[in-house]
Amino acid sequence: MESAAAREPRGADAPRAPAPPPSPAEPPAAPRARPRLVFRTQLAHGSPTGKIEGFTNVRELYAKIAEAFGIAPTEILFCTLNSHKVDMQKLLGGQIGLEDFIFAHVRGETKEVEVTKTEDALGLTITDNGAGYAFIKRIKEGSIINRIETVCVGDSIEAINDHSIVGCRHYEVAKMLRELPKSQPFTLRLVQPKRAFDMIGQRSRGSKYPVEVKVTSGRETLRLRSGGAATVEEVPTEFEEEASRKVDDLLESYMGIRDPELASTMVETSKKTTSVQEFASCLDSVLGEFAFPDEFVVEVWAAIGEAREACG
């Protein structure tokens, strides 16, 4: 026989208390709004001021500038920051300060020059605009090119011996020029940036004219990347600036190019590695198309180390 205790309802069969009403669901957190980045821009030879936004790389930047002024993006040779002059120290590279003023230098006159390569080096340093045009960033004093007065810093190299190089990267153009045979003349087709005085006859006294723009530096920059979206970053540290400068100097010495964005990428890569062998392996995976020689990679690693020590 069951005892009285056994006949009492078990806990599992006891009536349950009503469940409390569900609490109202909390609304999902609103996504953090991205800051709206608007930049002022002018054509370097003279124009009203336009405003552009919504670009993530150099090609999109050129498209936005072209749209603002009703020109084709392919008209733009390069851009400078905070100066309308052909000043390679102000050249737009991979970073734009959030308060920088952008000046676009567009195609001017085309000219052809004949050059005879009497030495191994022509004395040219080449860079490119990231959108298909390679141009002259520096001319070495006393060099072959320095003796040709019609060739100027800022000239875009459009063709070598009537072979178009539009779309080639700076290192490809520098290699083509290095491989030209000595003592054999060749022709360069160049396009110079449009100068401000080209417009004097068409401009009244009241029209817009580019001026040197003074801006504060700010603490953030927009980093443009050849692959991936642009990002807002803190301005480079003293170490990053010094290391990038040293690497850019080595790029000029070894390859005849200057490219602050490439130099900055190499410095960033070095921060993720602890040895020159690891650094070389990472460069191959990130920048394999450049095929950097081993001795160059060793010098870059050493230069970055020197910059780190100098900046503490």
Side-chain angles (χ1 to χ4, degrees):
M1 293 180 59
E2 290 184 347
S3 67
R7 288 194 298 269
E8 288 178 2
R10 295 191 179 105
D13 300 325
R16 297 178 180 176
S23 58
E26 293 184 6
R32 186 179 176 185
R34 292 185 64 186
R36 185 182 175 197
L37 304 178
V38 180
F39 295 87
R40 294 172 297 157
T41 183
Q42 283 186 6
L43 300 181
H45 63 276
S47 76
T49 298
K51 292 185 177 181
I52 56 172
E53 60 179 306
F55 53 89
T56 61
N57 55 50
V58 172
R59 287 183 184 275
E60 291 180 8
L61 166 64
Y62 285 12
K64 292 290 184 180
I65 295 173
E67 182 182 354
F69 296 110
I71 62 175
T74 51
E75 287 292 300
I76 301 173
L77 298 179
F78 57 86
C79 293
T80 49
L81 299 176
N82 309 319
S83 173
H84 71 282
K85 298 176 182 177
V86 179
D87 184 347
M88 294 295 109
Q89 299 303 314
K90 304 286 182 70
L91 192 66
L92 185 151
Q95 292 185 325
I96 307 173
L98 299 190
E99 297 178 358
D100 281 345
F101 199 114
I102 303 170
F103 288 91
H105 298 255
V106 302
R107 293 173 62 93
E109 293 182 3
T110 300
K111 53 194 177 184
E112 238 179 53
V113 297
E114 184 174 281
V115 184
T116 300
K117 191 175 180 182
T118 55
E119 304 168 21
D120 289 332
L122 292 170
L124 284 179
T125 298
I126 310 296
T127 191
D128 64 42
N129 66 359
Y133 288 144
F135 57 95
I136 299 170
K137 187 169 186 180
R138 184 179 294 178
I139 298 174
K140 185 178 180 180
E141 183 118 9
S143 64
I144 298 170
I145 294 296
N146 187 231
R147 296 192 285 271
I148 305 174
E149 293 184 1
T150 52
V151 180
C152 303
V153 167
D155 286 352
S156 172
I157 303 175
E158 192 169 66
I160 301 172
N161 285 332
D162 291 326
H163 172 68
S164 173
I165 60 157
V166 174
C168 294
R169 292 300 313 274
H170 46 23
Y171 63 92
E172 296 173 311
V173 177
K175 185 172 184 287
M176 291 178 204
L177 292 172
R178 280 198 307 271
E179 292 177 348
L180 288 169
K182 287 175 66 173
S183 304
Q184 186 173 324
F186 66 93
T187 58
L188 289 175
R189 185 161 73 242
L190 307 170
V191 180
Q192 69 181 34
K194 194 168 189 177
R195 312 292 183 184
F197 57 73
D198 290 354
M199 300 284 286
I200 288 176
Q202 305 169 32
R203 187 185 294 119
S204 67
R205 289 176 63 88
S207 66
K208 300 289 183 181
Y209 188 82
V211 295
E212 201 81 14
V213 177
K214 303 295 183 184
V215 297
T216 56
S217 61
R219 294 302 305 162
E220 291 183 316
T221 63
L222 183 67
R223 177 77 184 273
L224 302 177
R225 301 180 186 276
S226 54
T231 54
V232 176
E233 301 177 353
E234 290 292 310
V235 294
T237 64
E238 181 186 0
F239 155 68
E240 289 167 337
E241 285 190 339
E242 177 64 12
S244 295
R245 183 189 64 77
K246 285 178 173 289
V247 174
D248 206 19
D249 287 345
L250 286 171
L251 285 170
E252 180 175 24
S253 173
Y254 268 82
M255 303 176 66
I257 65 173
R258 290 194 79 88
D259 189 332
E261 182 185 2
L262 175 59
S264 177
T265 299
M266 296 177 79
V267 172
E268 279 189 13
T269 302
S270 76
K271 293 192 289 186
K272 305 169 188 173
T273 60
T274 57
S275 69
V276 66
Q277 292 83 5
E278 189 181 358
F279 178 53
S281 177
C282 286
L283 285 182
D284 281 343
S285 62
V286 176
L287 300 167
E289 70 272 20
F290 287 91
F292 296 124
D294 291 342
E295 63 271 19
F296 172 72
V297 174
V298 170
E299 286 213 33
V300 168
W301 178 259
I304 293 171
E306 289 172 5
R308 186 177 287 108
E309 289 180 7
C311 299

